[in-house]
Amino acid sequence: MSGLLYICDYGNNSDSDEYEVENKLPELKRSKKLPVPNLSHIPAVSVEQHIDNPDLHNGRVRSFPHVRGNWATFVYVKYDDEESLVKFATKLQNLLLGVKDLFNLCDDFHLSLSKTVVLNYHTIVPFTQSLKEVFCDSERFYLGFDNIDVLCNEEKTRTFIVLKADYFSVKSLTSLVKKVDNVLGEFKLEKFYKEPSFHISLLWAKGDHKGKLESLLENVNKVISTEVVRKLESVLIDKVYCKSGNKFYKYSLE
């Protein structure tokens, strides 16, 4: 009997110990809470906001607001003999009796093949690469002029006195614009004017002075037309340019 009692006691103790081990949960140690970092000594970085000041640009106003990440872009050709254009523009300004002081000499002589459009940074490379592809088989040509005209920008904030391309130049320029328009269409950007006026802006003034100048320029054109033919010779256009923000691209014509 005493042996059986020991067996029973052993069995009971073993079952009890096993039960206690299985149901005993391990104690979880709480991790210490990290202290909140002190950022008081780090200066706050404000978001840069560009405020356009026309006084810094002779009163010129942007056609669209400056936005970080947006790159103003346009395609154009250049008349390389800039010195001749400056002399011609200065002489023209002196002929504008009564309104001479309204006008300023343009600081960049170019002939646009597109409107100014907005590109995001990541689209600049594919856009300019597409231009390279469409210009690879374009022929060089001579750019000449035949008369002057008065134009206003779309916002009617500025008036320009411009030198207009002659008939033969227009044919070649129109061909280039069609190619540029195809690229603009691929990127869902606004195309050039349906009836473009191919010109180089020489003088500009704030506001809309077109009505005042049109009658005046009829007489000026009579005086200046021989000057255009004699002094401003046709120049060979063998390159097309694209400006996107502060980046410049150049494409050679055949």
Side-chain angles (χ1 to χ4, degrees):
M1 288 293 294
S2 60
L4 291 175
L5 288 175
Y6 282 119
I7 293 174
C8 290
D9 288 341
Y10 176 82
N12 289 340
N13 290 338
S14 175
D15 290 341
S16 176
D17 291 342
E18 185 177 352
Y19 181 84
E20 288 177 5
V21 170
E22 288 180 353
N23 289 274
K24 187 175 182 181
L25 297 177
E27 291 185 8
L28 297 178
K29 295 183 178 180
R30 288 179 175 270
S31 57
K32 291 185 178 181
K33 195 172 183 180
L34 295 175
V36 178
N38 180 14
L39 303 178
S40 59
H41 63 288
I42 301 177
V45 179
S46 60
V47 177
E48 182 182 347
Q49 183 178 6
H50 180 87
I51 300 175
D52 190 40
N53 184 358
D55 292 336
L56 299 178
H57 311 285
N58 292 328
R60 288 175 289 183
V61 179
R62 285 181 176 272
S63 298
F64 47 83
H66 172 85
V67 178
R68 179 180 286 276
N70 286 354
W71 294 63
T73 305
F74 69 100
V75 184
Y76 62 99
V77 297
K78 293 195 300 187
Y79 186 91
D80 287 333
D81 188 2
E82 187 170 305
E83 183 179 351
S84 293
L85 284 180
V86 171
K87 290 179 180 178
F88 180 79
T90 303
K91 183 171 184 176
L92 176 59
Q93 186 177 19
N94 291 331
L95 290 172
L96 300 176
L97 302 177
V99 293
K100 172 186 173 182
D101 293 339
L102 290 176
F103 283 87
N104 306 279
L105 195 68
C106 289
D107 53 10
D108 178 29
F109 296 119
H110 67 269
L111 190 152
S112 295
L113 300 178
S114 76
K115 294 183 179 180
T116 299
V117 296
V118 175
L119 290 180
N120 298 122
Y121 183 77
H122 67 277
T123 60
I124 294 175
V125 171
F127 180 83
T128 53
Q129 184 62 36
S130 293
L131 288 178
K132 181 180 179 180
E133 292 171 3
V134 298
F135 290 142
C136 67
D137 61 349
S138 298
E139 296 182 355
R140 57 186 66 186
F141 62 97
Y142 281 91
L143 173 63
F145 306 95
D146 57 10
N147 69 323
I148 56 177
D149 199 1
V150 183
L151 300 174
C152 280
N153 62 354
E154 291 181 283
E155 298 80 16
K156 305 297 182 185
T157 57
R158 284 198 287 167
T159 302
F160 298 89
I161 297 179
V162 306
L163 194 58
K164 297 195 71 173
D166 62 22
Y167 172 79
F168 299 103
S169 304
V170 167
K171 294 177 66 176
S172 298
L173 292 166
T174 300
S175 175
L176 290 177
V177 165
K178 286 180 180 179
K179 295 185 176 186
V180 176
D181 275 350
N182 287 337
V183 175
L184 292 167
E186 290 176 11
F187 287 82
K188 295 181 170 40
L189 297 169
E190 187 178 5
K191 297 181 179 181
F192 206 35
Y193 303 100
K194 289 185 178 179
E195 297 182 3
S197 169
F198 294 110
H199 63 269
I200 292 181
S201 297
L202 301 174
L203 302 167
W204 70 274
K206 289 188 292 184
D208 183 354
H209 305 284
K210 187 173 181 179
K212 184 190 304 182
L213 284 171
E214 281 180 335
S215 58
L216 176 62
L217 282 185
E218 285 182 17
N219 296 325
V220 171
N221 249 326
K222 293 175 184 177
V223 176
I224 214 77
S225 57
T226 55
E227 188 82 7
V228 173
V229 175
R230 188 172 72 251
K231 294 289 182 66
L232 294 178
E233 298 179 354
S234 297
V235 296
L236 179 64
I237 300 297
D238 59 358
K239 296 179 183 64
V240 178
Y241 301 86
C242 175
K243 182 177 185 293
S244 185
N246 59 359
K247 298 178 181 292
F248 291 85
Y249 301 87
K250 180 172 61 177
Y251 311 96
S252 296
L253 304 180
E254 290 186 340

